[in-house]
Amino acid sequence: MNVENLTQDAVNLLCKLIEIPRTSREEKEAADTLTEVMLQEYGLKTEREGNNIWCIADGYDETRKTLLLNAHIDTVKPTSLWTRDPYKATIEGDCIYGLGSNDDGASLVSLIQVFRCLKDKELPYNLILAISAEEEVSGKNGMEHLLTVLPKIDVALVGEPTGMQPAIAEKGLMVLDATAHGIAGHAAREEGDNAIYHALDDINWVRNYQFPKKSGLLGPVKMTATIINAGTQHNVIPSECKFTIDIRSNEQYSNEEIYDIVCQNIKSEVKARSFRLSSSQIDIEHPLVQKAISLGKSPFGSPTLSDQALMRFPSMKMGPGNSSRSHTADEFIKKCEISEAITIYLSMLQDLVL
């Protein structure tokens, strides 16, 4: 199979996927189509749980290290600003327009073709392809569940739109729900204790606090107050004010450590929705990273979240397309980007030694 033929197969499969709505938790039809194509057209032995699909290359040996190839099947919902039908694959010149074409369809179809090429080769490592659901919502039935049924993984190559540059660190995410408490009273009299004012003091701390440990790749931890809600009517001093804090962590802190720092510095009651979406980093000396560097690629730190946040082993994010196109109207990918991805992936993996 040459790259030209693999690229055409990838483009054909991508066009099929674009025309199947597959927002998070609603990927069943797309997973059915992928399973059918991979089994009947590509001859791949697939396994499936829910809307997650995986393939293990022949010759698996538990004494060897294992490389995981991963991309996700789901998309966000289309915005109202699309000028094209988001569920129609529209090809104009080298561009393929359609929802999920860039995020994450191009990486998905490229990695499937790469797995087709490598599955029968005598590699010095085990190779697994995993297609995950619910990535866009960090759902518990996606990668988190998939990792409980896969063999032990030593390192992962995560396909996401990075312009085929290797992201060797990724910011994590933690969302905090905070509640400031006061005492209700009549706004016309000197009574009550305004919860909004307490919340504003805490929000001001969130706005100005600088975490001392910064990352060379990811920069500082970023905290942002994004939602606030209080009060029932204009003449009642509010006894409660709720606000939400979006926190993007670097690899210098665990989410639990950040939570403790916040709790020690604000008076509001604070609850974390989850600690599970951690920041990640792979050593620049790791063979997978060094292989990318040897091909002229430049490692960087990514501010966007992916399934890497759920991986407790080294992982590198790298795929065709551009992150700035993700979640936007008239999303597109270029055929040449898919061809380049397949070529680079194969060059990286064929003689990789873990």
Side-chain angles (χ1 to χ4, degrees), residues 186-258:
H186 198 297
R189 295 191 293 269
E190 293 297 325
E191 62 183 33
D193 182 20
N194 198 322
I196 291 177
Y197 297 153
H198 294 303
L200 288 176
D201 289 340
D202 288 342
I203 290 171
N204 191 51
W205 178 84
V206 168
R207 180 181 184 182
N208 293 301
Y209 182 75
Q210 298 291 319
F211 286 85
K213 290 189 285 187
K214 295 178 173 59
S215 165
L217 287 164
L218 298 173
V221 173
K222 187 176 187 299
M223 288 196 299
T224 310
T226 54
I227 302 171
I228 186 168
N229 186 41
T232 56
Q233 58 190 63
H234 75 89
N235 58 353
V236 177
I237 300 294
S239 63
E240 189 175 83
C241 180
K242 295 179 180 291
F243 59 98
T244 300
I245 309 169
D246 178 288
I247 301 178
R248 305 294 169 147
S249 54
N250 62 26
E251 79 285 2
Q252 302 295 318
Y253 296 90
S254 69
N255 284 337
E256 289 85 352
E257 288 174 320
I258 293 172

Side-chain angles (χ1 to χ4, degrees), residues 14-190:
L14 177 60
C15 290
K16 284 185 179 181
L17 289 175
I18 289 171
E19 302 193 352
I20 303 171
R22 57 189 196 284
T23 52
S24 301
R25 301 191 177 99
E26 297 176 357
E27 309 99 337
K28 182 180 182 303
E29 185 180 351
D32 290 343
T33 296
L34 271 175
T35 302
E36 181 180 353
V37 170
M38 292 167 68
L39 182 64
Q40 296 185 5
E41 294 185 26
Y42 300 164
L44 300 179
K45 299 174 185 176
T46 63
E47 298 186 63
R48 179 172 170 181
E49 281 205 17
N51 296 325
N52 302 296
I53 305 166
W54 70 95
C55 305
I56 300 176
D58 289 342
Y60 176 86
D61 181 348
E62 63 181 13
T63 65
R64 295 189 303 183
K65 291 186 177 180
T66 297
L67 169 66
L68 176 71
L69 306 180
N70 166 246
H72 65 91
I73 189 174
D74 59 317
T75 71
V76 297
K77 293 180 180 179
T79 75
S80 61
L81 300 177
W82 276 80
T83 64
R84 300 169 171 82
D85 183 347
Y87 296 113
K88 180 176 175 57
T90 305
I91 299 178
E92 297 180 8
D94 196 42
C95 294
I96 305 165
Y97 292 90
L99 183 64
S101 55
N102 178 78
D103 183 15
D104 191 34
S107 291
L108 174 58
V109 297
S110 297
L111 286 173
I112 290 173
Q113 305 308 319
V114 169
F115 184 82
R116 286 177 70 192
C117 281
L118 298 181
K119 67 180 181 65
D120 295 323
K121 293 187 179 296
E122 292 187 10
L123 301 171
Y125 54 86
N126 300 311
L127 185 65
I128 298 176
L129 170 68
I131 300 166
S132 51
E134 300 188 9
E135 188 273 348
E136 296 290 2
V137 294
S138 301
K140 290 182 178 294
N141 294 317
M143 177 56 70
E144 185 168 332
H145 174 71
L146 192 51
L147 290 175
T148 67
V149 298
L150 292 177
K152 177 181 176 293
I153 307 298
D154 294 283
V155 64
L157 175 57
V158 179
E160 288 278 353
T162 68
M164 289 306 289
Q165 299 296 335
I168 63 171
E170 177 184 91
K171 279 197 168 181
L173 168 66
M174 180 171 58
V175 179
L176 301 181
D177 292 309
T179 305
H181 296 284
I183 301 172
H186 198 297
R189 295 191 293 269
E190 293 297 325

Side-chain angles (χ1 to χ4, degrees), residues 151 193 202 212 215 223 242 258 264 286 290 304 309 327 337 352:
D193 182 20
D202 288 342
S215 165
M223 288 196 299
K242 295 179 180 291
I258 293 172
Q264 290 164 13
H286 192 283
Q290 286 297 307
T304 58
H327 306 180
E337 291 174 321
L352 175 68

